[in-house]
Amino acid sequence: MNRMGNINFTLNDYHRNVSDEDLIKDVINVAEKLKTTTLTLDEYSKNGKFHSSTLTRRFGSWKKVLELAHLDIKNHNFKLDYSDADLIADVIRVKSIYKKETITSKEYDVYGNYHSSTLINHGKPWNKILEMAGLKVNLNRNFTNEEMFEEIERIWTKLGRQPTTTDIKKGISKYSLQSYSRRFGGWRGTLQAFVNYINANTENIENEKGVSLNKQEKTVEDSNFQHITNRDVNLRLRFKVFQRDNFKCCICGASPAKNPDVELHVDHIIPWSKGGETVLENLQTLCSKCNLGKSDLL
């Protein structure tokens, strides 16, 4: 007896022949089934007759789908609401606009439905996204050493410690481990290059007359007062401040390592408007909440 005789193999439905009305009706049915007033892409893909990418291609966005189905769109983070299939389709769509073999993350951000930084922060390095979409991985990306150092500083600050190869492999960096290794000769070489960059030209800043900033006694009350340093804190000095303060707010102790929502700022202890200079001794690490709450008064 043929045990396979009662099984029929058929092709999947060709969704292009399904009407807009039937697609939206299915979204409504899924919402009713789940007893919810809104739906995510993942919820629909798991419970609907079709895949969410079918609807987003047809109607342009998941937000439009929810609107047509008269479902709730409030408090719905559409930037995080995507499936791999939706992401791949969108990358290929943007690639077709440029008519190139591959695209950079910056090129994608111009026309993409999502943002590359959001994708990267959720574990999808750009080269991995290109691979998923079947596009050519660009091994000679046009980014500078400074851009790579800025990314290392962001990761180091986020973790509150020196990043490892394991951290990079997890996808927390916008650049791949291979990109760092090719540029600087391995991950250890990358970290050494970053440290050398941070330490360059920041040891003993002096004014034109050779007077150390620590010893300057002028104040804003002086009629000829002039700042010796710029108000803005560059990457080198910012990282030194964060590292000295253990990547924590000096007031409340908050840190990105414990709470990813925490954003660290560099604050002038003696305000710039009161004559404070942008030097290590006059800078401190504050979280965004404490920095906003700090008065400019001495």
Side-chain angles (χ1 to χ4, degrees), residues 63-245:
K63 180 179 180 181
K64 184 64 176 179
V65 171
L66 295 182
E67 289 176 339
L68 291 172
H70 302 291
L71 295 178
D72 185 16
I73 61 172
K74 294 180 179 179
N75 301 317
H76 196 120
N77 194 340
F78 293 100
K79 289 295 183 182
L80 301 182
D81 194 3
Y82 63 87
S83 66
D84 285 351
D86 290 303
L87 172 57
I88 292 171
D90 198 52
V91 171
I92 294 174
R93 177 187 64 81
V94 174
K95 175 251 185 184
S96 66
I97 296 175
Y98 286 99
K99 298 180 180 179
K100 298 167 57 179
E101 289 186 355
T102 191
I103 56 175
T104 67
S105 58
K106 290 182 179 180
E107 288 173 333
Y108 172 78
D109 288 340
V110 176
Y111 298 105
N113 289 330
Y114 316 100
H115 195 279
S116 61
S117 62
T118 302
L119 303 173
I120 291 166
N121 287 336
H122 285 76
K124 286 185 170 61
W126 186 246
N127 278 347
K128 178 63 176 178
I129 294 172
L130 293 178
E131 290 176 359
M132 290 167 58
L135 302 184
K136 180 180 178 181
V137 175
N138 193 341
L139 300 179
N140 298 310
R141 299 284 299 280
N142 294 321
F143 39 73
T144 65
N145 287 359
E146 286 73 20
E147 288 175 318
M148 299 185 85
F149 292 148
E150 186 174 1
E151 180 68 358
I152 293 173
E153 187 228 22
R154 182 190 70 80
I155 297 168
W156 204 313
T157 302
K158 177 181 178 180
L159 298 174
R161 58 171 173 78
Q162 178 177 305
T164 66
T165 55
T166 301
D167 295 321
I168 305 303
K169 289 178 181 178
K170 288 181 179 179
I172 64 174
S173 172
K174 67 167 64 175
Y175 308 118
S176 68
L177 182 60
Q178 290 80 4
S179 295
Y180 290 114
S181 297
R182 282 192 299 270
R183 183 69 62 89
F184 302 107
W187 182 241
R188 186 68 183 178
T190 299
L191 294 178
Q192 187 60 59
F194 172 73
V195 170
N196 292 343
Y197 175 80
I198 293 298
N199 289 332
N201 302 321
T202 59
E203 290 300 326
N204 185 25
I205 304 173
E206 297 183 350
N207 64 13
E208 294 179 356
K209 295 182 179 180
V211 178
S212 173
L213 291 172
N214 307 5
K215 299 177 182 179
Q216 190 187 17
E217 298 178 354
K218 286 187 176 182
T219 66
V220 290
E221 283 75 22
D222 293 330
S223 58
N224 296 322
F225 174 81
Q226 288 185 342
H227 277 289
I228 297 173
T229 58
N230 294 323
R231 181 170 187 166
D232 294 335
V233 182
N234 62 33
L235 185 151
R236 291 184 172 100
L237 190 53
R238 181 175 68 208
F239 183 78
K240 285 199 168 200
V241 174
F242 286 163
Q243 186 180 46
R244 182 201 61 197
D245 297 338

